[in-house]
Amino acid sequence: MSDLALRRQGGLSAVIDTLYRRPRIFLAVLLAPPLLWLGVVYLGSLFALLAQSFFSLDDFSGVIVREFTLSTWVQLLAPANMDVIVRTVTMAALVTVADGIMAFPIAYYAARYARGPMKAAFYLLVMMPLWSSYLVKVYAWKLILAREGIYTWVLDKLGIEALLDWYLSLPVIGGPSLSASYTGTFIVFCYVWLPYMILPVQSALERVPGNLIEASADLGASPRDTFRHVILPLAFPGVVAGSIFTFSLTLGDYIIPQIVGGSQYYLGQAVYAQQGTAGNIPLAAAFSVVPILIMGLYLAFARKLGAFDAL
Amino acid sequence: MTSPSTTAVLFQNVTRHFGTVRAVDGVDLKIEQGEFFAMLGPSGSGKTTCLRLIAGFEQPTAGHIEIFNETAEGLAPNRRDVNTVFQDYALFPHMTVLDNVAYGLMVRGVSRPDRERRAREALSLVRLEGMDARRPAQLSGGQRQRVALARALVNRPKVLLLDEPLGALDLKLREDMQEELRRLHKQLGLTFVFVTHDQGEALSMADRVAVFNQGRIVQVGTPEDIYQRPTTRFVAEFVGSSNVLTPDEAPRFGGVSHWTSLRPEAILIGSAAEAMDIRQPAEVVDQQFQGAMRKTLLKINGREVWSLAPAAQALEAGRTVTVGWAQGALHAMKGEGAHV
Amino acid sequence: MRSEGSSLLLKLSALGGLVFLHGPLAIILLYAFTTEGKSYQFPPPGLTLQWFAVAWNRPDIWAALTLSVNVALIATGLALVLGTLAAAALSRTRFWGRDNVSLLLILPLALPGIITGIALRSAFNLMDLPYSVFTIVLGHATFCIVVVYNNAVARFRRLSPSLVEASFDLGADAFQTFRHVVLPNIGTALLAGGMLAFALSFDEVIVTTFTAGQQTTLPIWMLNELVRPRDRPVTNVVAVLVMAVTFFPILAAYWLTREGEHVAGGSR
């Protein structure tokens, strides 16, 4: 073996020795590239955008006036814009609740009953739609909801077209056709984000130890009681984790309501239109703050409920 | 041991803090070359941190460490002629047994034929042959232990560190490995530093034992020293079982007014007590059959004490007997106990 | 308790959920073969393979596909490096601000994509950065980091810290330890994370519309068709193609991480 003193030399190895001796410096070296990337590229852009919400658009020249003003924020509070916000948040909340209800049986079955190859198949059957193309999924619904498409055909075969006509005649949820109504938008949102809810709920359920359920049964609880008092509370962080996705994704989406839905704007569309056709970056920036604020509150709330462990 | 003796590991007033926790608190230590040295203590007593300070996984907050007369602080673990057998063995799961053992040679640039030959030698040294191509996952606990040993020995380290190496093995295997380690130590003449919380293991294997408590060494000595002449109440209670008498009680047992240790096996019962310096009447409270011995609870002077009686000496509870012990069996010590 | 089995209601609702998830995807597949070229008529009047040939001969689709693959490859490469570094740093150590760092990592995925997109776009404008492959990659890598990070951090946590110590202890330096011990143990997780990042980037449209300028990735090509349908049958074929391109990496990622669990679990 070579001598200790001999092996101590060498420039690079000296650097590594230092790193080993000082774990804090080592940590900083590891963290610097990702933090710089996210800090400069992402946060930098984000703050630059938010700062622009304090500028304003000159209505006549269409030029952005780079002076501090709150006028853009006042503009955001206009009733038409508030309508957009309320509509979007309501939709996001409804989609989240609906996905939570739809996800639970699938997640529960996959976590508690599926075994071996069946479990793998279940997992893949949920993973596939989650990762498969967002646009393809939206496109599928365009095909389904088209006038000459499947849903008309199915309704015709079942002979319940009158029922749909009655449904479409209802205020708010109805419309000229399913693909031009709130209901259509709602269905597509639910469909596209459903896998994002299933997976966290499933992983939360999987972490409920089997003997806890046995203990509950042993202590005399009916399956219904066990579900209510043991399983549901333990799975709840998973539901919250899933809802972060369903909620946030709905808040920011501008493509689905554009393809399937009425003419009313959602938040994403408003941002898109303001920065694009209207060229009003300040108002677009102010609009962007709304989902950030909502998500910020939501994340803080979710963190309190321990949802990050279920991600 | 080689003479004149060389110091293998030297600690001078070494301290290691983790935040506000003083894991190691002013330790002085000298381990001689060729010694089988045990660091014994309860969990959290600082013994493992001391081992990691020798290996280089930790750096001292203050103090000075030397390994074979060379300053060790600031030296990365890969630059020390010290190798470790880890508590969980830390075998590389993606490598075969042979590649695991040859790893240290590979990273030093030893050619493949050479390092495989030496790895096979190391494996035969620990009596594990014909397993070269297996993965760690395919081995039993005892076999993994041997691979870990071979892997650490193949580099011919100056000091071999063993971190609770037998903790994960069952009793029979543990006894076999204790013997095996003694054999390897004699055969190789290396310095072994062994961390354990099992006092029996430390006493039976080591040349010298350091007893740790709360980040400090409370006593260093041969196993006989530690067992028969504990300097503090903590050592008496932690190493073996002992009847610890308070300064008030000790005079009634023939001692002086100090904290005093009286080992159960020193208390003889019945005719065996006749020849002893100190004799007293005692009441038998309870007896537990333990195979080779009968653990007997006696009441002497109103104080309950444990004694070890031969297996043949069955005594029913409530009987009065004569008990006795040698004056030398009473060992006065400092009153420091285990504070939690 | 478990052998008791599930109730019929649970079985049916789970099954119903899966049908709901997969039915629309099956319909896409069916439509790619329809003989009807002008509308979305159901059931298709006949089946044909001709649209695959038509799509094959479309240079605009090839150009979009090439761009998407290039962007996804570069973004994945960047995300692999940055995500692995972050995972190595955060997997074991606890330090002040650690929670904030992990929040920063998931933020690009947790905040609506449109905000990431518009923020990047206005930053590019402020810096007078022309739109290019580079600007698209910048956006994609940002949200791909967390995908790699999630895969890598899980594996790092399962990797016993004593393995790295053992490697140093046996004389290896930091590079040798990374190459011979760390990489083989996290390799499959990185590959899986990389595959998922690739699929995510290949498919991304929301951020891309803001960062692409005049460039057309495959999802942007599709979006244009969705908004103003011109080539319905070709769009159907492209939809199937996109499904196929994302399908295999996801399947591979699943098998890779599965096996990884098996190996790591067996070594304990």
Side-chain angles (χ1 to χ4, degrees), chain A residues 44-306:
Chain A
S45 311
L46 212 55
F47 282 120
L49 176 73
L50 299 188
Q52 292 190 58
S53 68
F54 295 102
F55 297 158
S56 62
L57 187 79
D58 187 312
D59 287 335
F60 300 104
S61 60
V63 174
I64 294 164
V65 183
R66 299 199 166 182
E67 276 169 29
F68 179 83
T69 168
L70 288 175
S71 67
T72 306
W73 283 94
V74 174
Q75 209 183 334
L76 180 72
L77 298 176
N81 292 336
M82 290 312 286
D83 276 357
V84 170
I85 294 169
V86 169
R87 181 181 305 126
T88 312
V89 172
T90 310
M91 179 61 87
L94 289 175
V95 167
T96 299
V97 170
D99 274 344
I101 292 170
M102 278 194 284
F104 215 91
I106 303 179
Y108 190 72
Y109 190 87
R112 297 236 71 86
Y113 295 105
R115 286 285 163 271
M118 177 74 168
K119 188 168 190 98
F122 240 98
Y123 185 74
L124 277 176
L125 283 174
V126 176
M127 276 300 271
M128 280 303 165
L130 171 76
W131 286 94
S132 64
S133 170
Y134 160 82
L135 274 179
V136 170
K137 284 183 277 191
V138 179
Y139 184 62
W141 282 93
K142 194 180 164 85
L143 296 180
I144 293 168
L145 296 178
R147 266 229 167 270
E148 68 279 16
I150 291 180
Y151 99 95
T152 322
W153 180 79
V154 170
L155 291 176
D156 188 45
K157 289 281 167 199
L158 294 175
I160 49 170
E161 274 169 312
L163 192 67
L164 180 77
D165 288 340
W166 168 80
Y167 181 84
L168 287 175
S169 71
L170 293 175
V172 186
I173 52 173
S177 74
L178 206 52
S179 61
S181 68
Y182 283 129
T183 308
T185 319
F186 172 75
I187 292 173
V188 180
F189 271 134
C190 284
Y191 173 74
V192 172
W193 311 140
L194 178 59
Y196 292 86
M197 181 63 94
I198 298 175
L199 286 177
V201 175
Q202 185 185 335
S203 73
L205 281 172
E206 254 156 28
R207 272 182 270 167
V208 179
N211 58 10
L212 229 58
I213 293 165
E214 280 162 17
S216 170
D218 185 59
L219 294 169
S222 68
R224 184 186 298 267
D225 289 337
T226 303
F227 183 81
R228 254 197 61 199
H229 298 294
V230 179
I231 297 168
L232 212 53
L234 287 170
F236 193 66
V239 177
V240 176
S243 74
I244 293 172
F245 290 106
T246 56
F247 202 81
S248 158
L249 289 166
T250 312
L251 279 188
D253 195 278
Y254 67 93
I255 290 178
I256 290 172
Q258 188 184 348
I259 309 281
V260 179
S263 51
Q264 301 88 348
Y265 267 15
Y266 287 79
L267 251 179
Q269 285 170 292
V271 175
Y272 188 73
Q274 289 304 335
Q275 75 85 38
T277 43
N280 192 346
I281 294 279
L283 187 56
F287 257 120
S288 309
V289 175
V290 176
I292 294 179
L293 225 81
I294 296 172
M295 284 318 295
L297 290 174
Y298 205 99
L299 286 175
F301 171 70
R303 184 138 91 170
K304 219 169 210 163
L305 293 174

Side-chain angles (χ1 to χ4, degrees), chain B:
Chain B
M1 264 191 243
T2 48
S3 60
S5 64
T6 315
T7 303
V9 179
L10 180 75
F11 273 41
Q12 284 177 344
N13 200 16
V14 171
T15 297
R16 176 69 172 113
H17 294 181
F18 296 105
T20 56
V21 181
R22 295 172 170 211
V24 172
D25 191 7
V27 163
D28 289 298
L29 180 66
K30 205 169 167 186
I31 301 173
E32 303 299 334
Q33 182 178 9
E35 241 187 326
F36 197 135
F37 191 86
M39 303 207 236
L40 172 69
S43 62
S45 60
K47 59 190 192 306
T48 299
T49 307
C50 276
L51 193 84
R52 294 172 60 81
L53 284 162
I54 303 174
F57 304 134
E58 304 287 349
Q59 295 290 337
T61 311
H64 175 62
I65 300 175
E66 277 179 22
I67 299 171
F68 281 91
N69 302 321
E70 293 222 35
T71 299
E73 57 262 25
L75 209 57
N78 52 326
R79 284 156 213 288
R80 300 182 181 207
D81 282 336
V82 166
N83 285 124
T84 307
V85 175
F86 288 82
Q87 185 170 14
D88 64 354
Y89 312 139
L91 299 181
F92 305 125
H94 57 292
M95 292 183 194
T96 62
V97 165
L98 194 67
D99 287 344
N100 258 288
V101 177
Y103 185 86
L105 301 171
M106 179 194 73
V107 297
R108 284 186 173 81
V110 176
S111 74
R112 180 173 281 276
D114 260 10
R115 66 181 191 244
E116 292 196 343
R117 180 181 50 75
R118 281 169 62 183
R120 285 204 179 83
E121 281 169 17
L123 281 166
S124 74
L125 191 68
V126 297
R127 304 189 207 186
L128 192 73
E129 279 136 333
M131 302 270 178
D132 295 3
R134 296 226 190 149
R135 295 288 170 110
Q138 296 168 297
L139 301 178
S140 71
Q143 288 168 334
R144 282 181 211 175
Q145 161 82 76
R146 283 165 199 266
V147 177
L149 254 173
R151 187 177 68 174
L153 289 172
V154 81
N155 288 334
R156 293 176 201 153
K158 288 179 176 165
V159 181
L160 182 72
L161 306 176
L162 302 115
D163 185 7
E164 304 256 5
L166 310 180
L169 304 178
D170 57 39
L171 184 65
K172 184 77 189 73
L173 213 49
R174 196 151 65 213
E175 284 170 355
D176 290 350
M177 282 310 295
Q178 286 180 7
E179 239 171 83
E180 185 85 21
L181 284 174
R182 293 280 300 170
R183 178 183 68 80
L184 279 171
H185 177 249
K186 265 192 210 120
Q187 191 177 337
L188 299 170
L190 290 176
T191 311
F192 278 31
V193 181
F194 182 95
V195 159
T196 182
H197 66 270
D198 180 332
Q199 44 94 19
E201 211 164 86
L203 295 183
S204 64
M205 293 171 73
D207 298 324
R208 280 200 305 151
V209 178
V211 184
F212 280 73
N213 187 31
Q214 296 187 311
R216 295 165 191 246
I217 294 181
V218 285
Q219 189 172 358
V220 187
T222 62
E224 290 82 359
D225 277 344
I226 300 285
Y227 188 79
Q228 284 162 2
R229 289 173 287 282
T231 52
T232 70
R233 218 177 111 200
F234 172 78
V235 176
E237 281 170 345
F238 189 73
V239 182
S241 50
S242 187
N243 298 301
V244 173
L245 307 173
T246 65
D248 289 343
E249 291 164 344
R252 284 187 268 142
F253 286 76
V256 290
S257 183
H258 262 292
W259 285 92
T260 298
S261 159
L262 181 58
R263 294 287 180 189
E265 65 274 16
I267 303 176
L268 303 178
I269 304 171
S271 54
E274 304 283 311
M276 294 291 114
D277 314 335
I278 298 159
R279 283 188 301 279
Q280 301 217 347
E283 185 195 331
V284 178
V285 179
D286 189 26
Q287 224 178 14
Q288 294 170 11
F289 179 65
Q290 291 192 319
M293 304 299 257
R294 278 180 197 273
K295 202 173 163 193
T296 310
L297 187 60
L298 301 166
K299 197 171 228 171
I300 306 172
N301 287 326
R303 153 86 207 242
E304 287 190 344
V305 293
W306 285 104
S307 149
L308 282 179
Q313 199 169 29
L315 302 164
E316 67 268 26
R319 208 179 126 179
T320 304
V321 289
T322 305
V323 295
W325 51 87
Q327 181 73 51
L330 290 162
H331 185 75
M333 54 199 182
K334 283 185 239 163
E336 291 160 20
H339 321 277
V340 180

Side-chain angles (χ1 to χ4, degrees), chain C residues 2-212:
Chain C
R2 281 194 189 156
S3 56
E4 191 177 281
S6 52
S7 72
L8 190 65
L9 184 70
L10 177 66
K11 257 185 202 147
L12 281 180
S13 43
L15 192 71
L18 286 181
V19 169
F20 176 62
L21 278 176
H22 289 268
L25 298 177
I27 286 161
I28 294 264
L29 208 57
L30 176 69
Y31 268 102
F33 298 96
T34 181
T35 48
E36 168 62 48
K38 296 276 169 263
S39 76
Y40 301 122
Q41 187 190 337
F42 189 90
L47 298 177
T48 173
L49 283 170
Q50 71 174 106
W51 304 119
F52 285 85
V54 173
W56 181 268
N57 291 317
R58 287 279 294 268
D60 56 333
I61 292 174
W62 279 109
L65 179 65
T66 315
L67 178 64
S68 281
V69 170
N70 283 342
V71 167
L73 283 178
I74 305 172
T76 303
L78 279 168
L80 273 174
V81 174
L82 298 174
T84 309
L85 286 175
L90 298 187
S91 59
R92 292 264 166 208
T93 38
R94 302 226 148 247
F95 57 92
W96 182 85
R98 182 180 182 281
D99 282 353
N100 295 328
V101 174
S102 52
L103 186 66
L104 178 61
L105 283 164
I106 52 168
L107 209 55
L109 223 54
L111 282 185
I114 190 168
I115 294 175
T116 311
I118 191 174
L120 287 173
R121 186 185 183 88
S122 71
F124 296 155
N125 283 338
L126 286 176
M127 291 187 294
D128 278 326
L129 215 61
Y131 297 110
S132 64
V133 177
F134 173 70
T135 51
I136 306 178
V137 166
L138 220 57
H140 284 201
T142 302
F143 55 74
C144 284
I145 294 173
V146 68
V147 178
V148 175
Y149 167 80
N150 274 343
N151 271 274
V153 83
R155 190 66 65 85
F156 268 121
R157 287 201 177 124
R158 280 212 306 270
L159 185 73
S160 161
S162 61
L163 285 186
V164 172
E165 287 184 349
S167 174
F168 279 117
D169 186 69
L170 292 165
D173 62 31
F175 294 113
Q176 288 170 320
T177 301
F178 182 75
R179 191 170 113 65
H180 297 297
V181 176
V182 178
L183 200 57
N185 279 295
I186 63 163
T188 50
L190 290 191
L191 205 55
M195 298 256 182
L196 293 178
F198 183 91
L200 188 66
S201 163
F202 184 81
D203 181 42
E204 214 290 328
V205 65
I206 297 206
V207 176
T208 319
T209 45
F210 292 96
T211 56

